[in-house]
Amino acid sequence: MKQRDLKYSCLIAVLYFGMNVNGQTTPKDTAVKEQKIEEVVLIGYGSQKKENVTGSIGLVTAKDLADKPNANPISSIQGKLSGVQILNSGAPGGSPRVDIRGVGSLTGKTVFIVDGMITDDISFLNPQDIESMSVLKDPSSLAIFGARASNGAVIIKTKTGRGKKPVFNFNSYLGIKKVTNIPEMANSDQYIELYNEKLRNENVTDPTKFLSRSNFPADTNWFKEIFRTSIINSNDFSASGNLGKLNYYGSIGNLQDEGNLAAGRGINSGSGFNRLNTKLNLTYKITDNITIGNNFSFSKMRTDAAQNPLLDAYTAPPIFSTMNPTTGDYQFFNGYSIPNPRAKLDLFRSQIRQERLLNNIWGEYKFLKDFTLRVSYTSDNINTNKYEYSPTLTYVPVSDQKPTKLITRDSRDRNYVWDNTLTWKKSFGDHNFEVLAGFSRTRNSYAETYAEAQNVPYDGTNESLSISNGTNVVIYNNDRKDLNLNQDQYRIESFFGRLNYDYKGKYLLNASIRRDGTSQISADDRNKIFPAVSVGWVVTKEDFMSEQNTFNLLKLRASYGKLGNPNIRRKYTLNVSSIAGGAYYGNTGYPAQTIDEIIDPNIGWETTSGGDVGLEMALFNNKLKIDATYFSKDSKDVVYGIVQGTVSGASNWNDFVTNAYSFNNRGFEASINYNTKINENIGIGVYGNYTALKNEITSVYRDSYLAAGASLFGNSVIRLQEGQAVGSYYGYQVTGVFQTDAEAVASGQNGGLAKAGWFKFADLDGNGVIDTRDKTFLGNPIPKGTYGFGVNMNIYDFDFAIDFQGVFGNKIYNYNREQRFGNENWDLDFYNNRWRGEGSSNSYALTTNNQSVILPSSFYVESGSYIRIRNIQIGYNLPKAFTSAMSITKLRLYLSAQNPWTSFKYKGFSPEIMNTDRVQMGVDQNIYPISAIYTFGMNLTF
């Protein structure tokens, strides 16, 4: 806006959460002078000018979330923020895992505060309804939330009405999803070659055991059998505006994702996801001092949860057809303990239906000029119904056939948060104070009913799948560990306070304290206090900086805080089991019992403390912004299992749960943003961020450890131990392959029974014997670095953006490849590189199922580094002459591609391994792959 466009002198100022908006002041007798409009961010129980923030908070705007084909809004910001690692689930409707500055707990999750409600799952939330996000990264920013935020928190503000005229928006996109980077497996000729070679390597001479192509004419690519290109479609409509004293925003949206599993040939309903959303936010100003509001959300979701057949497709021999040509039924793999992937996908039916109603009612009363009282009550009600139906498999031998089985799980979550805050805001000359005092009460209740029945008929409708239609009915509504069934209720009651102070806006102080009491901790340690303090110095407001024109902002900040996590698995009573047959004294038997499982009834809080120091800069009229931070975070008394070898006879001797671990996350993060307008019609923006991270277990209870994760014949692939990163792999170090039998025997490996073609394992203790004492750590899944960068530009009516994202320095354990029990297929990489005789390979072993070769080892540990084009989008805004003629404000059309290209060396589907279990976060075992998504969409405003 130029001076000649203004009739009067004015200051155009916009406060918009999470957005940068430039304003200008136009004195009558001077040229246009740009003014900096304060950027406002969300903090705990309030908001603050970005310039005055002393903690580490990442900002996400509505623009970052718009037009991305993701069911979960968090997926759209992958690679956009430093210090935040997001791992997406390829499954339709799946929630991503969010790690903020490393691993805070082994069991907790990052929480989301949505319009006052604290939750760990926002899959119900439509990205189009979000106005902004604030990602709280340091303990000082998080401490105000105390017990719920030890793994980080994201504050989400949904849209509200503004402006006097109603505004209508319609957003829609239609796209296709395609699984990329599918591993190549051996075909039938290659499989038969490998199979027969394996028999010869194992000294089998019976000719009837060998395979011939004439007996197996099929050549099936099982991945082609189970995958399809699918459709994703989203449509959203919203209306916002003002009716007198009432501001309103309402929306309705629907998302449909078919999923890439080609189900539907049998009774399976597929792997799709469908979500219907409604949203209504109302704000009513009763008087100048009293405002009330209501934020209402309702969602209805359906997930068609087909059994994941990816591992079966990976291992299934290509020599079998999907269907038996003789019977017309599914092909049974005679002599193989591998299910038919096509049959597994078609003949098992499972569905999850969820309804969620989240309602926030709030009111604000301003009194005595400087005080604001705010009361907020949020209820979150979730009803989930799930069933799993297994029919009688008629294609398997009669001895293996079982009656139909139906399992249902009906759960109910009833949660509420009641917040009360009183804020006093006052300035005394150059001294500015804001004091907050508050009380909060949270209750979460969970109840679940489990039922199962046999011989349930299915007529093609969900209605026929009723427990009452079956036999052998059992129903449980109590805790059952064997069924993963639990009932739970916990409460948290909190008192908290915060002081924000600044002197002339250049010396900043933020101090907070919170006292949490929780029903999840025994009475001796039920209440915990969490303090935090942070300081800042806005150097650019000093007099000695007044003459410079380079820096618009130069700020130094430092912080320290502490918080806790009570949401941990625990028991309070010993498990007691009867001894079968009793105990005998002489020839006389007596009833007897024993303690089956040892528990620790005094498990206390996990705590996280840490701090950071940072530098923020804005240069060249706010075009260039730089943020750099060093951080260190310590988690103590982390609750998880350990080996408790001194406890004899207990079933959990190797998984005794207690406050066992401490670990440290430290690193450096930096982000840079540059935005400029070349002229009125051309603008360009560039951004980049980088995070370096080191995670280390600093202590373990009684110097113990835990063997955990995936296991093959009792050999676990993960070990939690002091001095290592969480999730570190543990096994044998491969130093090569024995080229001759003489070399193998001379090594003494496997008691002198090793053979040519076997892996050569390092003798780390030098005693000439390869045993468990030679196992070592083989890498870990935590990246040494994560990064993202991108470019966006506007050229007249066209816009273009491209985002890159990647990680490096982490390792993946390819457990898909290690799982060999009998006659599984091999991947093409193994076929091409296997040992076939002296000098043929020094890195791949011979073809075998010998468990002395297939041990947890460095062979299965692969690089997890990758770089990906996360998004490409090109858009076109139709000319105003055209839109005005149609009485619309804006019409934009766009094409986008998500995950169209990824460069990596890992020999699986994708190096992005999304395990919710942080201990197994890098183990690839039947992980649903990430898809490329290509969409065409439109944004209409009128």
Side-chain angles (χ1 to χ4, degrees):
M1 185 177 294
K2 303 298 182 182
Q3 183 176 352
R4 63 176 178 271
D5 298 322
L6 295 176
K7 187 174 181 180
Y8 304 102
S9 300
C10 65
L11 172 68
I12 300 178
V14 179
L15 291 183
Y16 188 76
F17 287 97
M19 300 288 286
N20 285 322
V21 184
N22 290 326
Q24 297 170 330
T25 184
T26 55
K28 292 181 180 180
D29 55 351
T30 64
V32 177
K33 180 180 179 182
E34 292 190 356
Q35 295 290 323
K36 177 186 170 189
I37 301 306
E38 299 292 356
E39 189 176 22
V40 177
V41 300
L42 301 175
I43 60 175
Y45 304 101
S47 61
Q48 194 174 16
K49 292 190 296 185
K50 180 69 171 66
E51 185 178 273
N52 291 347
V53 170
T54 51
S56 294
I57 300 178
L59 303 180
V60 180
T61 69
K63 183 179 178 181
D64 294 317
L65 305 173
D67 308 330
K68 306 294 193 303
N70 298 304
N72 195 299
I74 289 296
S75 298
S76 299
I77 62 172
Q78 185 182 38
K80 293 292 186 73
L81 296 175
S82 62
V84 181
Q85 185 184 17
I86 296 172
L87 290 156
N88 287 306
S89 169
S95 296
R97 196 184 82 222
V98 183
D99 292 329
I100 299 177
R101 289 185 174 176
V103 179
S105 170
L106 297 180
T107 55
K109 297 180 179 179
T110 297
V111 296
F112 305 90
I113 298 93
V114 184
D115 293 331
M117 185 66 208
I118 299 180
T119 179
D120 59 14
D121 180 19
I122 56 170
S123 57
F124 72 95
L125 191 60
N126 186 346
Q128 297 288 348
D129 289 334
I130 297 176
E131 183 174 285
S132 70
M133 291 184 185
S134 287
V135 181
L136 310 185
K137 297 189 285 188
D138 66 310
S140 73
S141 299
L142 294 162
I144 194 68
F145 290 115
R148 296 302 304 273
S150 62
N151 282 278
V154 180
I155 305 177
I156 297 176
K157 183 180 187 298
T158 57
K159 294 177 180 178
T160 56
R162 55 168 58 90
K164 295 184 178 181
K165 293 183 178 180
V167 177
F168 302 96
N169 286 283
F170 177 69
N171 301 289
S172 177
Y173 64 77
L174 177 67
I176 60 171
K177 295 180 62 178
K178 183 177 178 62
V179 177
T180 58
N181 305 307
I182 299 174
E184 294 185 82
M185 306 302 295
N187 62 29
S188 286
D189 290 326
Q190 294 161 341
Y191 175 83
I192 290 172
E193 180 184 348
L194 291 169
Y195 182 95
N196 292 337
E197 186 177 301
K198 178 190 70 171
L199 296 183
R200 289 190 293 270
N201 290 335
E202 296 172 356
N203 299 318
V204 175
T205 58
D206 184 352
T208 63
K209 302 292 186 181
F210 290 79
L211 303 181
S212 66
R213 194 72 171 91
S214 60
N215 293 329
F216 294 94
D219 188 7
T220 304
N221 184 321
W222 289 105
F223 285 131
K224 288 185 177 180
E225 283 293 328
I226 66 170
F227 284 136
R228 67 177 177 184
T229 298
S230 63
I231 301 296
I232 183 170
N233 178 231
S234 175
N235 298 281
D236 305 282
F237 177 78
S238 67
S240 62
N242 174 276
L243 294 173
K245 296 182 177 182
L246 176 69
N247 289 335
Y248 63 89
Y249 172 85
S251 72
I252 184 169
N254 178 245
L255 173 70
Q256 299 180 68
D257 184 348
E258 288 184 343
N260 290 118
L261 292 181
R265 301 184 191 179
I267 67 170
N268 197 338
S269 52
S271 63
F273 176 75
N274 187 296
R275 181 182 66 202
L276 176 67
N277 301 83
T278 58
K279 179 73 178 170
L280 181 62
N281 288 347
L282 302 173
T283 303
Y284 185 74
K285 198 171 185 63
I286 299 176
T287 68
D288 290 341
N289 296 328
I290 301 175
T291 306
I292 60 174
N294 181 221
N295 302 310
F296 171 88
S297 297
F298 176 75
S299 66
K300 192 171 184 177
M301 296 181 287
R302 187 196 74 219
T303 303
D304 296 320
Q307 288 195 19
N308 188 346
L310 294 180
L311 181 59
D312 298 312
Y314 189 94
T315 58
I319 59 175
F320 293 104
S321 300
T322 57
M323 311 300 291
N324 188 322
T326 303
T327 64
D329 205 343
Y330 291 94
Q331 179 71 59
F332 176 69
F333 300 170
N334 190 30
Y336 293 74
S337 59
I338 303 169
N340 183 325
R342 181 73 258 169
K344 182 175 184 177
L345 185 58
D346 290 347
L347 297 182
F348 294 86
R349 185 175 178 87
S350 179
Q351 199 170 89
I352 304 170
R353 293 177 178 267
Q354 184 181 96
E355 293 184 352
R356 186 167 187 173
L357 191 155
L358 191 148
N359 193 40
N360 167 238
I361 302 172
W362 59 271
E364 279 189 356
Y365 172 47
K366 296 180 179 180
F367 61 98
L368 298 180
K369 189 178 180 181
D370 303 318
F371 291 88
T372 302
L373 175 67
R374 182 182 176 93
V375 179
S376 172
Y377 182 87
T378 309
S379 61
D380 185 13
N381 297 324
I382 309 170
N383 293 328
T384 305
N385 307 103
K386 177 180 180 180
Y387 71 78
E388 299 172 351
Y389 179 68
S390 304
T392 300
L393 303 181
T394 58
Y395 72 97
V396 304
V398 174
S399 60
D400 293 332
Q401 293 181 11
K402 299 177 181 179
T404 64
K405 186 176 183 179
L406 175 66
I407 296 174
T408 64
R409 291 176 179 268
D410 298 326
S411 63
R412 297 157 301 284
D413 292 80
R414 299 294 182 264
N415 312 314
Y416 77 78
V417 176
W418 179 34
D419 289 329
N420 305 268
T421 59
L422 177 64
T423 304
W424 173 67
K425 192 171 183 179
K426 186 72 173 179
S427 294
F428 299 96
D430 295 326
H431 300 273
N432 304 301
F433 293 88
E434 183 176 332
V435 179
L436 171 79
F439 167 76
S440 179
R441 179 175 291 166
T442 301
R443 190 190 73 182
N444 297 77
S445 300
Y446 180 82
E448 183 178 6
T449 300
Y450 172 97
E452 70 174 55
Q454 295 180 344
N455 299 307
V456 176
Y458 176 61
D459 64 7
T461 64
N462 281 345
E463 289 71 24
S464 65
L465 295 176
S466 171
I467 292 292
S468 61
N469 293 337
T471 63
N472 299 51
V473 176
V474 294
I475 299 176
Y476 302 106
N477 54 20
N478 58 321
D479 289 351
R480 289 288 300 261
K481 181 179 179 181
D482 57 324
L483 300 174
N484 193 28
L485 175 66
N486 62 81
Q487 322 296 321
D488 198 10
Q489 181 181 112
Y490 63 87
R491 297 173 302 281
I492 298 175
E493 189 170 272
S494 310
F495 297 90
F496 53 89
R498 180 176 62 214
L499 165 66
N500 284 327
Y501 165 78
D502 73 81
Y503 174 70
K504 292 185 176 181
K506 61 182 177 180
Y507 305 127
L508 314 172
L509 171 69
N510 177 298
S512 68
I513 189 167
R514 182 174 177 122
R515 178 184 181 273
D516 279 330
T518 175
S519 62
Q520 291 178 282
I521 302 292
S522 59
D524 295 338
D525 193 30
R526 179 155 294 169
N527 298 298
K528 207 76 169 179
I529 294 176
F530 304 110
V533 62
S534 57
V535 293
W537 176 27
V538 184
V539 183
T540 41
K541 291 196 175 182
E542 296 288 358
D543 292 340
F544 62 81
M545 295 288 287
S546 61
E547 299 300 322
Q548 60 84 34
N549 296 313
T550 303
F551 290 96
N552 301 97
L553 174 69
L554 178 61
K555 181 172 71 174
L556 301 174
R557 52 180 172 76
S559 70
Y560 175 83
K562 184 177 181 179
L563 53 157
N565 174 30
N567 301 326
I568 44 188
R569 58 177 178 142
R570 58 167 50 81
K571 288 186 175 180
Y572 294 104
T573 58
L574 300 176
N575 278 0
V576 179
S577 299
S578 298
I579 299 175
Y584 282 81
Y585 294 90
N587 295 323
T588 306
Y590 298 90
Q593 289 183 323
T594 184
I595 295 174
D596 176 64
E597 187 175 358
I598 302 295
I599 61 99
D600 180 359
N602 298 312
I603 293 176
W605 288 82
E606 293 182 357
T607 60
T608 298
S609 61
D612 65 9
V613 290
L615 170 68
E616 294 179 31
M617 295 186 289
L619 303 90
F620 313 128
N621 199 25
N622 290 306
K623 293 179 180 179
L624 176 64
K625 295 183 178 181
I626 300 172
D627 193 327
T629 305
Y630 172 81
F631 62 87
S632 181
K633 180 173 67 174
D634 289 293
S635 298
K636 296 183 179 180
D637 298 319
V638 174
V639 177
Y640 212 72
I642 56 169
V643 171
Q644 186 78 324
T646 58
V647 179
S648 177
S651 64
N652 68 328
W653 67 270
N654 60 345
D655 188 20
F656 173 69
V657 177
T658 186
N659 292 103
Y661 296 91
S662 296
F663 42 80
N664 172 265
N665 295 277
R666 63 184 181 274
F668 171 80
E669 62 185 40
S671 63
I672 182 169
N673 291 269
Y674 180 80
N675 292 278
T676 186
K677 288 186 72 67
I678 297 173
N679 57 44
E680 291 185 357
N681 296 310
I682 300 176
I684 187 169
V686 180
Y687 77 90
N689 63 77
Y690 170 76
T691 304
L693 177 68
K694 180 176 175 57
N695 171 273
E696 181 182 355
I697 299 173
T698 53
S699 68
V700 184
Y701 179 68
R702 292 185 178 178
D703 296 322
S704 186
Y705 65 91
L706 179 68
S711 176
L712 189 67
F713 296 102
N715 292 292
S716 298
V717 304
I718 291 172
R719 188 175 174 110
L720 300 179
Q721 184 172 306
E722 183 178 339
Q724 303 298 320
V726 172
S728 292
Y729 314 122
Y730 192 69
Y732 296 96
Q733 183 67 51
V734 174
T735 60
V737 175
F738 293 120
Q739 299 300 316
T740 64
D741 287 337
E743 180 191 9
V745 172
S747 72
Q749 185 169 311
N750 204 49
L753 299 178
K755 298 180 180 180
W758 285 28
F759 282 132
K760 187 189 302 182
F761 298 129
D763 182 12
L764 296 180
D765 62 3
N767 66 356
V769 177
I770 302 297
D771 56 23
T772 55
R773 290 171 293 185
D774 294 302
K775 287 185 175 182
T776 187
F777 289 95
L778 305 171
N780 69 79
I782 299 177
K784 293 180 180 178
T786 61
Y787 58 90
F789 60 94
V791 178
N792 61 83
M793 59 184 68
N794 296 281
I795 303 174
Y796 292 87
D797 292 326
F798 289 91
D799 58 83
F800 171 80
I802 183 168
D803 301 310
F804 293 84
Q805 171 259 332
V807 306
F808 67 89
N810 60 311
K811 300 294 183 181
I812 298 171
Y813 197 94
N814 193 339
Y815 194 64
N816 292 333
R817 206 175 200 188
E818 185 184 4
Q819 292 185 87
R820 299 202 63 82
F821 302 93
N823 300 315
E824 294 85 358
N825 196 12
W826 293 264
D827 57 56
L828 187 61
D829 176 75
F830 177 84
Y831 173 83
N832 290 329
N833 296 289
R834 74 193 187 280
W835 186 91
R836 284 170 281 181
E838 185 176 353
S840 58
S841 176
N842 196 39
S843 55
Y844 285 62
L846 79 173
T847 309
T848 184
N849 280 344
N850 191 312
Q851 296 305 312
S852 295
V853 180
I854 308 173
L855 291 170
S857 73
S858 58
F859 176 76
Y860 303 104
V861 178
E862 303 181 33
S863 171
S865 302
Y866 70 90
I867 181 171
R868 168 182 293 151
I869 296 179
R870 179 59 178 155
N871 284 289
I872 305 176
Q873 188 170 117
I874 183 169
Y876 175 65
N877 289 283
L878 272 68
K880 291 184 178 180
F882 175 80
T883 55
S884 298
M886 298 181 65
S887 300
I888 59 179
T889 305
K890 174 185 175 182
L891 177 58
R892 175 176 176 266
L893 306 176
Y894 66 90
L895 293 170
S896 75
Q898 182 169 282
N899 307 323
W901 173 84
T902 307
S903 176
F904 60 95
K905 295 181 179 179
Y906 177 59
K907 297 177 180 64
F909 279 97
S910 168
E912 188 172 353
I913 307 298
M914 212 301 282
N915 272 318
T916 55
D917 182 355
R918 282 178 168 81
V919 174
Q920 296 197 81
M921 62 181 126
V923 178
D924 187 357
Q925 183 182 14
N926 208 28
I927 299 296
Y928 200 108
I930 303 294
S931 298
I933 308 175
Y934 304 91
T935 57
F936 169 73
M938 64 172 289
N939 309 124
L940 173 64
T941 303
F942 59 98

